[in-house]
């Protein structure tokens, strides 16, 4: 059965997802966040996979399910496949966005003498079952198991809504980041010409985001990248806002 699942996923273009799961399972803690980002990108880039996660997230109560999994200083993934997939996916999103840093999550629920031991426990107790449940859910939809047609219809119906909501949220965050960078530039760049050029650069990016012209978003963002580096390369606060903006741009304009 395992071989059939792998073959069905590969045939549907999920090679990148499988490779990203394997890379994360086999990586060291120091590069874990990069591997998590790669895994999320593999999901976002595959419509069939993304729709599967959209279906799992439909009506999902993240805070409540997370609390159910916490027992003292421990954390256990749910036994229900759909709930486990939705929960771990949300956890990975929070880690990737910086909302819940990986180190903090490990220290809270997988504490060991070393961070590498904590990370190994996280892989074994969270990522391995997540990958297994993903394969099982995908196989059900892809190889004609009972209920597959209903699952596929649900996935198809929720894909556009889930994808649209996700992109709208990160676009709104991108707009807020640009506004924050403009406000900082207005108050901190003393030279009038420099300040006007900086604001004009950010205004161009703002217009592109609001017009939904992704090609112009990317080109405008490159200008902002160099402007921020030129004027604020030593400002930790500005660089944090820029990193959030970069994350948003990559997830809706690439």
């Amino acid at each position: 059965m395992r071989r059939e699942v792998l073959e069905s996923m590969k045939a549907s273009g999920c090679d990148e997802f499988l490779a990203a799961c394997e890379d994360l399972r086999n990586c060291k803690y120091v590069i874990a966040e990069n591997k998590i980002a790669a895994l999320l990108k593999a999901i976002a880039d595959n419509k069939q996979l993304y729709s599967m996660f959209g279906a799992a997230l439909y009506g999902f109560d993240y805070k409540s399910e997370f609390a159910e999994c916490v027992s003292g200083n421990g954390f256990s993934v749910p036994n229900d496949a759909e709930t486990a997939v939705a929960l771990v996916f949300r956890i990975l999103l929070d880690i990737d966005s910086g909302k819940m840093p990986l180190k903090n999550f490990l220290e809270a629920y997988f504490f060991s003498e070393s961070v590498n031991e904590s990370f190994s426990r996280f892989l074994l107790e969270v990522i391995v079952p997540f990958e297994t449940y993903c394969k099982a859910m995908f196989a059900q939809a892809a190889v004609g198991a009972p209920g597959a047609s209903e699952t596929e219809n649900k996935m198809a119906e929720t894909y556009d809504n889930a994808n649209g909501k996700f992109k709208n949220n990160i676009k709104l965050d991108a707009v807020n980041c640009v506004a924050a960078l403009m406000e900082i530039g207005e108050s901190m760049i003393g030279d009038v010409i420099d300040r006007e050029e900086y604001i004009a650069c950010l205004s161009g990016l703002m217009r592109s985001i609001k017009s939904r012209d992704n090609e112009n978003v990317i080109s405008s963002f490159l200008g902002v990248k160099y402007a921020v580096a030129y004027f604020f390369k030593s400002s930790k606060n500005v660089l944090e806002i820029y990193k959030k903006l970069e994350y948003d741009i990559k997830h809706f304009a690439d």
Side-chain angles (χ1 to χ4, degrees), residues 61-104:
D61 189 336
Y62 177 46
K63 290 184 178 179
S64 176
E65 292 294 345
F66 189 100
E68 286 289 327
C69 295
V70 175
S71 177
N73 294 325
F75 186 91
S76 300
V77 172
N79 292 324
D80 178 71
E82 189 169 308
T83 303
V85 165
L87 178 67
V88 177
F89 182 57
R90 282 296 310 272
I91 289 172
L92 294 177
L93 285 175
D94 279 357
I95 291 172
D96 186 51
S97 68
K99 185 176 181 180
M100 181 171 64
L102 177 59
K103 184 179 180 182
N104 293 1

Side-chain angles (χ1 to χ4, degrees), residues 153-210:
N153 289 337
K154 183 181 179 183
M155 285 161 49
E157 289 172 2
T158 58
Y159 173 75
D160 289 334
N161 288 336
N163 188 44
K165 184 177 181 180
F166 175 71
K167 289 193 173 182
N168 285 337
N169 285 341
I170 59 176
K171 281 184 179 180
L172 178 60
D173 188 62
V175 167
N176 291 335
C177 288
V178 174
L181 290 174
M182 291 174 71
E183 184 177 347
I184 291 171
E186 287 278 13
S187 62
M188 295 185 65
I189 300 176
D191 184 86
V192 175
I193 295 177
D194 284 348
R195 185 168 64 248
E196 289 180 351
E197 289 182 352
Y198 175 81
I199 297 301
C201 184
L202 286 160
S203 296
L205 177 57
M206 182 78 83
R207 287 193 298 271
S208 296
I209 294 172
K210 290 182 176 181

Side-chain angles (χ1 to χ4, degrees), residues 3-50:
R3 182 177 179 181
E4 291 174 357
V5 171
L6 292 174
E7 288 178 351
S8 69
M9 293 186 76
K10 289 179 179 178
S12 300
C14 297
D15 305 66
E16 289 187 6
F17 172 76
L18 294 171
C21 286
E22 184 175 1
D23 285 348
L24 178 56
R25 280 191 287 102
N26 295 326
C27 80
K28 301 296 184 183
Y29 168 74
V30 291
I31 59 171
E33 292 181 351
N34 291 337
K35 298 301 182 182
I36 288 172
L39 175 59
L40 293 174
K41 186 176 188 304
I43 294 169
D45 287 347
N46 186 294
K47 181 171 182 176
Q48 195 166 3
L49 273 177
Y50 195 90

